[in-house]
Amino acid sequence: MQTAADAGDAATLLAAVPAGRRVALVDPRFVGHVHALRLGLTDPRFAAATVPGALTAQPEARGALLRALRRTTAAVGAGAPVVAPDTDPAPDDRTVPGRIAVALEAEGTAVKRPELGSLTATVPTDAGARATAESARDGVDDEAVRLRSAVKAHDGFFTTFAISPYSRYIARWCARRGLTPNQVTTASLITALIAAGAAATGTRGGYVAAGILLLVSFVLDCTDGQLARYSLQYSTMGAWLDATFDRAKEYAYYAGLAIGAVCGGDDVWVLALGAMVLQACRHVVDFSFNEANHDAVANTSPTAALSDKLDSVGWTVWARRMIVLPIGERWAMIAVLTALTTPRIVFYALLVGCALAACYTTAGRLLRSLTRRASRTDRAAQALADLADSGPLAQGVAAVAPGLRGAFTAPAVALLGTLVMIGGALFLPYGSWLTVAAAAVYVLLSGLAVARPLKGALDWLVPPFFRAGEYVTILVLAARSDAPHAVPAAFGLVSAVAYHHYDTVYRIRGGTGAPPQWLVRTIGGHEGRTALVAVLAAVLTHAAGFTTALTALAVAVALVVLVESIRFWVSSSAPAVHDEGELA
């Protein structure tokens, strides 16, 4: 820390700091809470940030900061006081840091201004103002505010009332002992994997232990995010771990339950895979709708207005959050039912609960889409195209086919292709080459569906239809096969593909775009993988080779997508964010 005599001296001192370091400029008359400064000066997610009287810049914004400081110095004079006259129309911009923040924004550098709430951050201009500011500062416990802000503003009922009241204190305990969010996230994963192992024993004691450990894992899962917010430890690796481990934990637990059930003489692998397919399809509905509409121009939907009105009534907020069966409620239900009942009942409850939740959320999204008047952007259309995961076969069809016109043409064509594919897998004789013909129709219709930009009112349904077409086809063909262990192999394949689809979502959310095209081409796209599984089922009819082929395909897909995903998320191009999105 160095003290500058005036604005000119500050410019000289900042220029001498090594280029790779973050710098901060704080008015010496600053009065406020330590946590206000922490929010303004230590959050790694933003290139530049400010609170009244203080400004910070990451290395990438250092050049812009120095230019703004020199312009400010030239405007007010190198020896000018740090506080401008009281006649300044923008009180927060009277100080040198405030003026620089305005200059940075004028140059095009985004400057984050965090919400301070009840926290104090100001630069008083006289003794009376200082006394008032100090009184306001001393009247608010910034540690209490810090603990409250560690908890997500919008979370599920179970998480809000059964977990967060004490998990925030676990987060503070971890922070004071130097533990990082990534370490807590990893501990949550390990605990969930142990829970899956306990469930795989197939004993009542194992099921009870699995239920308890799953809840412990969820507590840790809440703690890692609260620790990140409490200590402002956001990172690219943390974003990747937090985004992917929830799915890995849940699906590993499904596999553990299925193995345990087999040990007890009850094969529920089809139910386990069905639960995973339903959950993944439900998520892609949420992701697609949000990407299609988050930057839409105009919104006149009466359905959205009704939803906002309901959110103003206290009890309806919690009821609506519970209806969608978010991760807290879902894991609590799984844990309790595991301890008290059987895996089959757990999966029945999951399938029914997730199906009802999917119907509720999808119906609301359909009503909003049909009643709103909005123009969707090129970015939204590109996001939907990326979520569609079209491979070389569908892209080839789209390149030579004329774009189909009509407001609802794309989702209708995608739905028709999905129904043809699933219907062929379900009702045609198993191993028939007619199923391969159905796959060819699916490829053709998949290409036609994406031949035009996806800007229609219901075009966000195209990616969910493709997910259902691929996942359900794999499930049905594996279930109808006489090959031993075909469904567990299919479970592995769908897990690998679902990871790729979730990874695509998280990259788009971070603003860095979808995975590279070479990756999509290498793993075939949704239509290529679906057609390949149909061919394998026809060629390897009633043979153990079908299981081997599914396993090999699962391993190949997993290796390619994991290597590329790890490369991306540990690179500098990945966004430094933490999961604050929809209730998962």
Side-chain angles (χ1 to χ4, degrees), residues 279-293 324-326 330 357-358 360-362 365 384 387 460-461 464 505 509 582-584:
Q279 188 66 8
C281 290
R282 176 190 164 199
H283 277 151
V284 79
V285 167
D286 296 340
F287 298 148
S288 294
F289 178 81
N290 290 334
E291 288 303 322
N293 294 287
V324 301
L325 201 64
R330 192 167 68 251
Y360 170 78
T361 55
T362 304
R365 284 161 171 73
L384 291 180
L387 289 173
W460 55 270
L461 286 169
V505 167
R509 277 184 174 180
E582 293 77 23
L583 305 179

PDB file of all heavy atoms in Angstrom, residues 279-293 324-326 330 357-358 360-362 365 384 387 460-461 464 505 509 582-584:
ATOM      1  N   GLN A 279     -34.563 -36.239 -16.326  1.00  0.00           N
ATOM      2  CA  GLN A 279     -33.950 -35.092 -15.676  1.00  0.00           C
ATOM      3  C   GLN A 279     -33.154 -34.255 -16.677  1.00  0.00           C
ATOM      4  O   GLN A 279     -33.219 -33.023 -16.667  1.00  0.00           O
ATOM      5  CB  GLN A 279     -33.044 -35.568 -14.536  1.00  0.00           C
ATOM      6  CG  GLN A 279     -32.504 -34.469 -13.657  1.00  0.00           C
ATOM      7  CD  GLN A 279     -33.581 -33.772 -12.860  1.00  0.00           C
ATOM      8  OE1 GLN A 279     -34.739 -34.196 -12.837  1.00  0.00           O
ATOM      9  NE2 GLN A 279     -33.234 -32.682 -12.227  1.00  0.00           N
ATOM     10  N   ALA A 280     -32.386 -34.914 -17.549  1.00  0.00           N
ATOM     11  CA  ALA A 280     -31.582 -34.191 -18.535  1.00  0.00           C
ATOM     12  C   ALA A 280     -32.468 -33.451 -19.536  1.00  0.00           C
ATOM     13  O   ALA A 280     -32.188 -32.296 -19.893  1.00  0.00           O
ATOM     14  CB  ALA A 280     -30.651 -35.162 -19.258  1.00  0.00           C
ATOM     15  N   CYS A 281     -33.545 -34.098 -19.995  1.00  0.00           N
ATOM     16  CA  CYS A 281     -34.454 -33.441 -20.938  1.00  0.00           C
ATOM     17  C   CYS A 281     -35.157 -32.262 -20.281  1.00  0.00           C
ATOM     18  O   CYS A 281     -35.370 -31.212 -20.910  1.00  0.00           O
ATOM     19  CB  CYS A 281     -35.474 -34.440 -21.468  1.00  0.00           C
ATOM     20  SG  CYS A 281     -34.778 -35.697 -22.569  1.00  0.00           S
ATOM     21  N   ARG A 282     -35.505 -32.418 -19.031  1.00  0.00           N
ATOM     22  CA  ARG A 282     -36.141 -31.324 -18.298  1.00  0.00           C
ATOM     23  C   ARG A 282     -35.199 -30.126 -18.192  1.00  0.00           C
ATOM     24  O   ARG A 282     -35.604 -28.976 -18.361  1.00  0.00           O
ATOM     25  CB  ARG A 282     -36.538 -31.827 -16.913  1.00  0.00           C
ATOM     26  CG  ARG A 282     -37.114 -30.782 -15.995  1.00  0.00           C
ATOM     27  CD  ARG A 282     -37.243 -31.336 -14.595  1.00  0.00           C
ATOM     28  NE  ARG A 282     -37.429 -30.280 -13.630  1.00  0.00           N
ATOM     29  CZ  ARG A 282     -37.220 -30.418 -12.337  1.00  0.00           C
ATOM     30  NH1 ARG A 282     -36.802 -31.581 -11.866  1.00  0.00           N
ATOM     31  NH2 ARG A 282     -37.418 -29.425 -11.504  1.00  0.00           N
ATOM     32  N   HIS A 283     -33.934 -30.400 -17.928  1.00  0.00           N
ATOM     33  CA  HIS A 283     -32.964 -29.311 -17.825  1.00  0.00           C
ATOM     34  C   HIS A 283     -32.787 -28.594 -19.152  1.00  0.00           C
ATOM     35  O   HIS A 283     -32.678 -27.359 -19.194  1.00  0.00           O
ATOM     36  CB  HIS A 283     -31.617 -29.854 -17.343  1.00  0.00           C
ATOM     37  CG  HIS A 283     -31.545 -30.011 -15.865  1.00  0.00           C
ATOM     38  ND1 HIS A 283     -30.759 -30.960 -15.259  1.00  0.00           N
ATOM     39  CD2 HIS A 283     -32.139 -29.342 -14.852  1.00  0.00           C
ATOM     40  CE1 HIS A 283     -30.885 -30.874 -13.948  1.00  0.00           C
ATOM     41  NE2 HIS A 283     -31.720 -29.901 -13.687  1.00  0.00           N
ATOM     42  N   VAL A 284     -32.740 -29.339 -20.255  1.00  0.00           N
ATOM     43  CA  VAL A 284     -32.499 -28.678 -21.543  1.00  0.00           C
ATOM     44  C   VAL A 284     -33.700 -27.827 -21.945  1.00  0.00           C
ATOM     45  O   VAL A 284     -33.541 -26.825 -22.659  1.00  0.00           O
ATOM     46  CB  VAL A 284     -32.138 -29.703 -22.633  1.00  0.00           C
ATOM     47  CG1 VAL A 284     -33.358 -30.420 -23.173  1.00  0.00           C
ATOM     48  CG2 VAL A 284     -31.381 -29.039 -23.773  1.00  0.00           C
ATOM     49  N   VAL A 285     -34.897 -28.173 -21.493  1.00  0.00           N
ATOM     50  CA  VAL A 285     -36.053 -27.295 -21.706  1.00  0.00           C
ATOM     51  C   VAL A 285     -35.792 -25.946 -21.037  1.00  0.00           C
ATOM     52  O   VAL A 285     -35.997 -24.875 -21.628  1.00  0.00           O
ATOM     53  CB  VAL A 285     -37.344 -27.941 -21.165  1.00  0.00           C
ATOM     54  CG1 VAL A 285     -38.472 -26.915 -21.102  1.00  0.00           C
ATOM     55  CG2 VAL A 285     -37.768 -29.115 -22.038  1.00  0.00           C
ATOM     56  N   ASP A 286     -35.339 -25.991 -19.776  1.00  0.00           N
ATOM     57  CA  ASP A 286     -35.052 -24.747 -19.050  1.00  0.00           C
ATOM     58  C   ASP A 286     -33.949 -23.952 -19.736  1.00  0.00           C
ATOM     59  O   ASP A 286     -34.073 -22.736 -19.951  1.00  0.00           O
ATOM     60  CB  ASP A 286     -34.628 -25.063 -17.611  1.00  0.00           C
ATOM     61  CG  ASP A 286     -35.723 -25.730 -16.804  1.00  0.00           C
ATOM     62  OD1 ASP A 286     -36.896 -25.614 -17.197  1.00  0.00           O
ATOM     63  OD2 ASP A 286     -35.409 -26.368 -15.780  1.00  0.00           O
ATOM     64  N   PHE A 287     -32.872 -24.638 -20.092  1.00  0.00           N
ATOM     65  CA  PHE A 287     -31.737 -23.953 -20.697  1.00  0.00           C
ATOM     66  C   PHE A 287     -32.128 -23.321 -22.029  1.00  0.00           C
ATOM     67  O   PHE A 287     -31.792 -22.164 -22.313  1.00  0.00           O
ATOM     68  CB  PHE A 287     -30.576 -24.930 -20.923  1.00  0.00           C
ATOM     69  CG  PHE A 287     -30.023 -25.543 -19.662  1.00  0.00           C
ATOM     70  CD1 PHE A 287     -29.502 -26.825 -19.674  1.00  0.00           C
ATOM     71  CD2 PHE A 287     -30.019 -24.842 -18.470  1.00  0.00           C
ATOM     72  CE1 PHE A 287     -28.989 -27.401 -18.525  1.00  0.00           C
ATOM     73  CE2 PHE A 287     -29.505 -25.395 -17.307  1.00  0.00           C
ATOM     74  CZ  PHE A 287     -28.990 -26.682 -17.338  1.00  0.00           C
ATOM     75  N   SER A 288     -32.809 -24.073 -22.880  1.00  0.00           N
ATOM     76  CA  SER A 288     -33.168 -23.577 -24.206  1.00  0.00           C
ATOM     77  C   SER A 288     -34.100 -22.375 -24.117  1.00  0.00           C
ATOM     78  O   SER A 288     -33.922 -21.373 -24.821  1.00  0.00           O
ATOM     79  CB  SER A 288     -33.831 -24.683 -25.035  1.00  0.00           C
ATOM     80  OG  SER A 288     -32.931 -25.719 -25.323  1.00  0.00           O
ATOM     81  N   PHE A 289     -35.108 -22.473 -23.259  1.00  0.00           N
ATOM     82  CA  PHE A 289     -36.051 -21.361 -23.121  1.00  0.00           C
ATOM     83  C   PHE A 289     -35.341 -20.101 -22.645  1.00  0.00           C
ATOM     84  O   PHE A 289     -35.559 -19.006 -23.171  1.00  0.00           O
ATOM     85  CB  PHE A 289     -37.164 -21.742 -22.144  1.00  0.00           C
ATOM     86  CG  PHE A 289     -38.156 -20.636 -21.899  1.00  0.00           C
ATOM     87  CD1 PHE A 289     -39.184 -20.402 -22.791  1.00  0.00           C
ATOM     88  CD2 PHE A 289     -38.038 -19.818 -20.779  1.00  0.00           C
ATOM     89  CE1 PHE A 289     -40.094 -19.371 -22.577  1.00  0.00           C
ATOM     90  CE2 PHE A 289     -38.940 -18.793 -20.550  1.00  0.00           C
ATOM     91  CZ  PHE A 289     -39.969 -18.561 -21.451  1.00  0.00           C
ATOM     92  N   ASN A 290     -34.478 -20.244 -21.651  1.00  0.00           N
ATOM     93  CA  ASN A 290     -33.776 -19.080 -21.115  1.00  0.00           C
ATOM     94  C   ASN A 290     -32.836 -18.467 -22.149  1.00  0.00           C
ATOM     95  O   ASN A 290     -32.745 -17.243 -22.268  1.00  0.00           O
ATOM     96  CB  ASN A 290     -33.004 -19.465 -19.858  1.00  0.00           C
ATOM     97  CG  ASN A 290     -33.924 -19.774 -18.697  1.00  0.00           C
ATOM     98  OD1 ASN A 290     -35.047 -19.281 -18.647  1.00  0.00           O
ATOM     99  ND2 ASN A 290     -33.485 -20.602 -17.773  1.00  0.00           N
ATOM    100  N   GLU A 291     -32.123 -19.304 -22.899  1.00  0.00           N
ATOM    101  CA  GLU A 291     -31.214 -18.776 -23.915  1.00  0.00           C
ATOM    102  C   GLU A 291     -31.985 -18.101 -25.042  1.00  0.00           C
ATOM    103  O   GLU A 291     -31.529 -17.110 -25.613  1.00  0.00           O
ATOM    104  CB  GLU A 291     -30.326 -19.890 -24.474  1.00  0.00           C
ATOM    105  CG  GLU A 291     -29.265 -20.371 -23.515  1.00  0.00           C
ATOM    106  CD  GLU A 291     -28.353 -19.261 -23.045  1.00  0.00           C
ATOM    107  OE1 GLU A 291     -28.016 -18.366 -23.851  1.00  0.00           O
ATOM    108  OE2 GLU A 291     -27.978 -19.272 -21.860  1.00  0.00           O
ATOM    109  N   ALA A 292     -33.155 -18.627 -25.374  1.00  0.00           N
ATOM    110  CA  ALA A 292     -33.944 -18.044 -26.455  1.00  0.00           C
ATOM    111  C   ALA A 292     -34.518 -16.688 -26.077  1.00  0.00           C
ATOM    112  O   ALA A 292     -34.773 -15.856 -26.956  1.00  0.00           O
ATOM    113  CB  ALA A 292     -35.076 -18.987 -26.856  1.00  0.00           C
ATOM    114  N   ASN A 293     -34.709 -16.451 -24.782  1.00  0.00           N
ATOM    115  CA  ASN A 293     -35.461 -15.275 -24.363  1.00  0.00           C
ATOM    116  C   ASN A 293     -34.709 -14.295 -23.474  1.00  0.00           C
ATOM    117  O   ASN A 293     -35.245 -13.230 -23.174  1.00  0.00           O
ATOM    118  CB  ASN A 293     -36.736 -15.716 -23.624  1.00  0.00           C
ATOM    119  CG  ASN A 293     -37.702 -16.440 -24.535  1.00  0.00           C
ATOM    120  OD1 ASN A 293     -38.342 -15.833 -25.389  1.00  0.00           O
ATOM    121  ND2 ASN A 293     -37.803 -17.750 -24.376  1.00  0.00           N
ATOM    122  N   VAL A 324     -41.389 -27.374  -8.861  1.00  0.00           N
ATOM    123  CA  VAL A 324     -40.417 -27.735  -9.894  1.00  0.00           C
ATOM    124  C   VAL A 324     -39.402 -28.759  -9.392  1.00  0.00           C
ATOM    125  O   VAL A 324     -38.518 -29.176 -10.145  1.00  0.00           O
ATOM    126  CB  VAL A 324     -39.679 -26.490 -10.431  1.00  0.00           C
ATOM    127  CG1 VAL A 324     -40.673 -25.503 -11.009  1.00  0.00           C
ATOM    128  CG2 VAL A 324     -38.832 -25.830  -9.346  1.00  0.00           C
ATOM    129  N   LEU A 325     -39.519 -29.184  -8.153  1.00  0.00           N
ATOM    130  CA  LEU A 325     -38.654 -30.201  -7.562  1.00  0.00           C
ATOM    131  C   LEU A 325     -37.174 -29.868  -7.776  1.00  0.00           C
ATOM    132  O   LEU A 325     -36.444 -30.598  -8.449  1.00  0.00           O
ATOM    133  CB  LEU A 325     -38.967 -31.589  -8.146  1.00  0.00           C
ATOM    134  CG  LEU A 325     -38.523 -32.801  -7.301  1.00  0.00           C
ATOM    135  CD1 LEU A 325     -39.261 -32.829  -5.979  1.00  0.00           C
ATOM    136  CD2 LEU A 325     -38.756 -34.095  -8.056  1.00  0.00           C
ATOM    137  N   PRO A 326     -36.717 -28.744  -7.191  1.00  0.00           N
ATOM    138  CA  PRO A 326     -35.314 -28.354  -7.351  1.00  0.00           C
ATOM    139  C   PRO A 326     -34.397 -29.340  -6.640  1.00  0.00           C
ATOM    140  O   PRO A 326     -34.843 -30.261  -5.955  1.00  0.00           O
ATOM    141  CB  PRO A 326     -35.258 -26.966  -6.709  1.00  0.00           C
ATOM    142  CG  PRO A 326     -36.359 -26.973  -5.709  1.00  0.00           C
ATOM    143  CD  PRO A 326     -37.443 -27.815  -6.311  1.00  0.00           C
ATOM    144  N   ARG A 330     -35.329 -32.497  -4.287  1.00  0.00           N
ATOM    145  CA  ARG A 330     -35.137 -33.779  -4.964  1.00  0.00           C
ATOM    146  C   ARG A 330     -34.173 -34.670  -4.184  1.00  0.00           C
ATOM    147  O   ARG A 330     -34.442 -35.854  -3.972  1.00  0.00           O
ATOM    148  CB  ARG A 330     -34.615 -33.524  -6.381  1.00  0.00           C
ATOM    149  CG  ARG A 330     -34.644 -34.744  -7.266  1.00  0.00           C
ATOM    150  CD  ARG A 330     -34.430 -34.381  -8.712  1.00  0.00           C
ATOM    151  NE  ARG A 330     -33.101 -33.890  -9.024  1.00  0.00           N
ATOM    152  CZ  ARG A 330     -32.826 -32.615  -9.329  1.00  0.00           C
ATOM    153  NH1 ARG A 330     -33.787 -31.705  -9.342  1.00  0.00           N
ATOM    154  NH2 ARG A 330     -31.589 -32.249  -9.623  1.00  0.00           N
ATOM    155  N   ALA A 357     -43.114 -32.027 -12.542  1.00  0.00           N
ATOM    156  CA  ALA A 357     -42.378 -30.759 -12.578  1.00  0.00           C
ATOM    157  C   ALA A 357     -42.122 -30.327 -14.012  1.00  0.00           C
ATOM    158  O   ALA A 357     -42.256 -29.143 -14.358  1.00  0.00           O
ATOM    159  CB  ALA A 357     -41.058 -30.905 -11.819  1.00  0.00           C
ATOM    160  N   ALA A 358     -41.748 -31.290 -14.872  1.00  0.00           N
ATOM    161  CA  ALA A 358     -41.486 -30.967 -16.272  1.00  0.00           C
ATOM    162  C   ALA A 358     -42.754 -30.472 -16.968  1.00  0.00           C
ATOM    163  O   ALA A 358     -42.702 -29.518 -17.761  1.00  0.00           O
ATOM    164  CB  ALA A 358     -40.931 -32.195 -16.987  1.00  0.00           C
ATOM    165  N   TYR A 360     -45.309 -28.950 -15.578  1.00  0.00           N
ATOM    166  CA  TYR A 360     -45.625 -27.626 -15.045  1.00  0.00           C
ATOM    167  C   TYR A 360     -44.755 -26.549 -15.694  1.00  0.00           C
ATOM    168  O   TYR A 360     -45.258 -25.538 -16.192  1.00  0.00           O
ATOM    169  CB  TYR A 360     -45.438 -27.621 -13.528  1.00  0.00           C
ATOM    170  CG  TYR A 360     -45.507 -26.255 -12.906  1.00  0.00           C
ATOM    171  CD1 TYR A 360     -46.729 -25.623 -12.685  1.00  0.00           C
ATOM    172  CD2 TYR A 360     -44.343 -25.581 -12.536  1.00  0.00           C
ATOM    173  CE1 TYR A 360     -46.790 -24.357 -12.120  1.00  0.00           C
ATOM    174  CE2 TYR A 360     -44.391 -24.329 -11.967  1.00  0.00           C
ATOM    175  CZ  TYR A 360     -45.618 -23.717 -11.760  1.00  0.00           C
ATOM    176  OH  TYR A 360     -45.669 -22.460 -11.208  1.00  0.00           O
ATOM    177  N   THR A 361     -43.437 -26.763 -15.681  1.00  0.00           N
ATOM    178  CA  THR A 361     -42.536 -25.736 -16.212  1.00  0.00           C
ATOM    179  C   THR A 361     -42.673 -25.592 -17.730  1.00  0.00           C
ATOM    180  O   THR A 361     -42.663 -24.478 -18.249  1.00  0.00           O
ATOM    181  CB  THR A 361     -41.078 -26.057 -15.849  1.00  0.00           C
ATOM    182  OG1 THR A 361     -40.745 -27.378 -16.311  1.00  0.00           O
ATOM    183  CG2 THR A 361     -40.862 -25.998 -14.351  1.00  0.00           C
ATOM    184  N   THR A 362     -42.818 -26.717 -18.437  1.00  0.00           N
ATOM    185  CA  THR A 362     -42.918 -26.635 -19.895  1.00  0.00           C
ATOM    186  C   THR A 362     -44.223 -25.964 -20.316  1.00  0.00           C
ATOM    187  O   THR A 362     -44.240 -25.166 -21.260  1.00  0.00           O
ATOM    188  CB  THR A 362     -42.826 -28.041 -20.514  1.00  0.00           C
ATOM    189  OG1 THR A 362     -41.608 -28.661 -20.091  1.00  0.00           O
ATOM    190  CG2 THR A 362     -42.847 -27.963 -22.028  1.00  0.00           C
ATOM    191  N   ARG A 365     -43.778 -22.262 -19.960  1.00  0.00           N
ATOM    192  CA  ARG A 365     -42.917 -21.712 -21.001  1.00  0.00           C
ATOM    193  C   ARG A 365     -43.639 -21.667 -22.351  1.00  0.00           C
ATOM    194  O   ARG A 365     -43.458 -20.738 -23.135  1.00  0.00           O
ATOM    195  CB  ARG A 365     -41.626 -22.533 -21.096  1.00  0.00           C
ATOM    196  CG  ARG A 365     -40.664 -22.215 -19.961  1.00  0.00           C
ATOM    197  CD  ARG A 365     -39.623 -23.303 -19.779  1.00  0.00           C
ATOM    198  NE  ARG A 365     -38.582 -22.901 -18.853  1.00  0.00           N
ATOM    199  CZ  ARG A 365     -38.721 -22.793 -17.539  1.00  0.00           C
ATOM    200  NH1 ARG A 365     -39.892 -23.061 -16.995  1.00  0.00           N
ATOM    201  NH2 ARG A 365     -37.721 -22.418 -16.762  1.00  0.00           N
ATOM    202  N   LEU A 384     -29.302 -21.518 -29.587  1.00  0.00           N
ATOM    203  CA  LEU A 384     -30.179 -22.665 -29.821  1.00  0.00           C
ATOM    204  C   LEU A 384     -29.552 -23.633 -30.816  1.00  0.00           C
ATOM    205  O   LEU A 384     -29.665 -24.857 -30.662  1.00  0.00           O
ATOM    206  CB  LEU A 384     -31.540 -22.198 -30.330  1.00  0.00           C
ATOM    207  CG  LEU A 384     -32.414 -21.439 -29.326  1.00  0.00           C
ATOM    208  CD1 LEU A 384     -33.734 -21.040 -29.960  1.00  0.00           C
ATOM    209  CD2 LEU A 384     -32.655 -22.278 -28.074  1.00  0.00           C
ATOM    210  N   LEU A 387     -27.021 -25.553 -28.877  1.00  0.00           N
ATOM    211  CA  LEU A 387     -27.667 -26.519 -27.992  1.00  0.00           C
ATOM    212  C   LEU A 387     -28.250 -27.689 -28.775  1.00  0.00           C
ATOM    213  O   LEU A 387     -28.381 -28.795 -28.240  1.00  0.00           O
ATOM    214  CB  LEU A 387     -28.771 -25.831 -27.177  1.00  0.00           C
ATOM    215  CG  LEU A 387     -28.316 -24.853 -26.093  1.00  0.00           C
ATOM    216  CD1 LEU A 387     -29.514 -24.123 -25.499  1.00  0.00           C
ATOM    217  CD2 LEU A 387     -27.554 -25.586 -24.997  1.00  0.00           C
ATOM    218  N   TRP A 460     -37.228 -22.854 -29.353  1.00  0.00           N
ATOM    219  CA  TRP A 460     -36.450 -23.347 -28.214  1.00  0.00           C
ATOM    220  C   TRP A 460     -36.782 -24.797 -27.887  1.00  0.00           C
ATOM    221  O   TRP A 460     -36.042 -25.446 -27.122  1.00  0.00           O
ATOM    222  CB  TRP A 460     -36.695 -22.465 -26.988  1.00  0.00           C
ATOM    223  CG  TRP A 460     -38.134 -22.319 -26.594  1.00  0.00           C
ATOM    224  CD1 TRP A 460     -39.021 -21.374 -27.009  1.00  0.00           C
ATOM    225  CD2 TRP A 460     -38.868 -23.174 -25.699  1.00  0.00           C
ATOM    226  NE1 TRP A 460     -40.264 -21.580 -26.447  1.00  0.00           N
ATOM    227  CE2 TRP A 460     -40.196 -22.673 -25.630  1.00  0.00           C
ATOM    228  CE3 TRP A 460     -38.536 -24.300 -24.962  1.00  0.00           C
ATOM    229  CZ2 TRP A 460     -41.178 -23.260 -24.841  1.00  0.00           C
ATOM    230  CZ3 TRP A 460     -39.510 -24.886 -24.165  1.00  0.00           C
ATOM    231  CH2 TRP A 460     -40.819 -24.374 -24.116  1.00  0.00           C
ATOM    232  N   LEU A 461     -37.843 -25.346 -28.471  1.00  0.00           N
ATOM    233  CA  LEU A 461     -38.192 -26.751 -28.259  1.00  0.00           C
ATOM    234  C   LEU A 461     -37.334 -27.699 -29.092  1.00  0.00           C
ATOM    235  O   LEU A 461     -37.311 -28.904 -28.824  1.00  0.00           O
ATOM    236  CB  LEU A 461     -39.660 -26.983 -28.601  1.00  0.00           C
ATOM    237  CG  LEU A 461     -40.697 -26.446 -27.613  1.00  0.00           C
ATOM    238  CD1 LEU A 461     -42.090 -26.509 -28.208  1.00  0.00           C
ATOM    239  CD2 LEU A 461     -40.636 -27.211 -26.295  1.00  0.00           C
ATOM    240  N   PRO A 464     -34.597 -29.679 -26.928  1.00  0.00           N
ATOM    241  CA  PRO A 464     -35.195 -30.739 -26.091  1.00  0.00           C
ATOM    242  C   PRO A 464     -35.713 -31.925 -26.899  1.00  0.00           C
ATOM    243  O   PRO A 464     -35.581 -33.071 -26.458  1.00  0.00           O
ATOM    244  CB  PRO A 464     -36.344 -30.012 -25.375  1.00  0.00           C
ATOM    245  CG  PRO A 464     -35.931 -28.593 -25.345  1.00  0.00           C
ATOM    246  CD  PRO A 464     -35.179 -28.363 -26.615  1.00  0.00           C
ATOM    247  N   VAL A 505     -23.952 -26.033 -22.329  1.00  0.00           N
ATOM    248  CA  VAL A 505     -24.797 -25.039 -21.649  1.00  0.00           C
ATOM    249  C   VAL A 505     -23.945 -24.094 -20.811  1.00  0.00           C
ATOM    250  O   VAL A 505     -24.092 -22.864 -20.879  1.00  0.00           O
ATOM    251  CB  VAL A 505     -25.846 -25.739 -20.771  1.00  0.00           C
ATOM    252  CG1 VAL A 505     -26.511 -24.742 -19.830  1.00  0.00           C
ATOM    253  CG2 VAL A 505     -26.886 -26.431 -21.626  1.00  0.00           C
ATOM    254  N   ARG A 509     -23.512 -20.057 -21.133  1.00  0.00           N
ATOM    255  CA  ARG A 509     -23.853 -19.177 -20.016  1.00  0.00           C
ATOM    256  C   ARG A 509     -22.697 -18.257 -19.650  1.00  0.00           C
ATOM    257  O   ARG A 509     -22.896 -17.105 -19.252  1.00  0.00           O
ATOM    258  CB  ARG A 509     -24.221 -20.010 -18.787  1.00  0.00           C
ATOM    259  CG  ARG A 509     -25.646 -20.501 -18.757  1.00  0.00           C
ATOM    260  CD  ARG A 509     -25.864 -21.203 -17.442  1.00  0.00           C
ATOM    261  NE  ARG A 509     -27.244 -21.592 -17.255  1.00  0.00           N
ATOM    262  CZ  ARG A 509     -27.698 -22.228 -16.180  1.00  0.00           C
ATOM    263  NH1 ARG A 509     -26.856 -22.535 -15.212  1.00  0.00           N
ATOM    264  NH2 ARG A 509     -28.953 -22.553 -16.076  1.00  0.00           N
ATOM    265  N   GLU A 582     -30.521 -21.067 -12.431  1.00  0.00           N
ATOM    266  CA  GLU A 582     -31.801 -21.658 -12.070  1.00  0.00           C
ATOM    267  C   GLU A 582     -31.623 -22.730 -10.995  1.00  0.00           C
ATOM    268  O   GLU A 582     -30.561 -23.297 -10.817  1.00  0.00           O
ATOM    269  CB  GLU A 582     -32.440 -22.300 -13.313  1.00  0.00           C
ATOM    270  CG  GLU A 582     -32.847 -21.313 -14.380  1.00  0.00           C
ATOM    271  CD  GLU A 582     -31.676 -20.819 -15.180  1.00  0.00           C
ATOM    272  OE1 GLU A 582     -30.649 -21.501 -15.239  1.00  0.00           O
ATOM    273  OE2 GLU A 582     -31.764 -19.718 -15.729  1.00  0.00           O
ATOM    274  N   LEU A 583     -32.711 -22.981 -10.305  1.00  0.00           N
ATOM    275  CA  LEU A 583     -32.687 -24.065  -9.324  1.00  0.00           C
ATOM    276  C   LEU A 583     -32.542 -25.369 -10.089  1.00  0.00           C
ATOM    277  O   LEU A 583     -33.357 -25.709 -10.925  1.00  0.00           O
ATOM    278  CB  LEU A 583     -33.987 -24.071  -8.515  1.00  0.00           C
ATOM    279  CG  LEU A 583     -34.334 -22.739  -7.830  1.00  0.00           C
ATOM    280  CD1 LEU A 583     -35.651 -22.880  -7.092  1.00  0.00           C
ATOM    281  CD2 LEU A 583     -33.243 -22.320  -6.885  1.00  0.00           C
ATOM    282  N   ALA A 584     -31.487 -26.112  -9.810  1.00  0.00           N
ATOM    283  CA  ALA A 584     -31.203 -27.323 -10.587  1.00  0.00           C
ATOM    284  C   ALA A 584     -31.922 -28.509 -10.015  1.00  0.00           C
ATOM    285  O   ALA A 584     -31.653 -29.631 -10.341  1.00  0.00           O
ATOM    286  CB  ALA A 584     -29.706 -27.571 -10.643  1.00  0.00           C
TER     287      ALA A 584
END
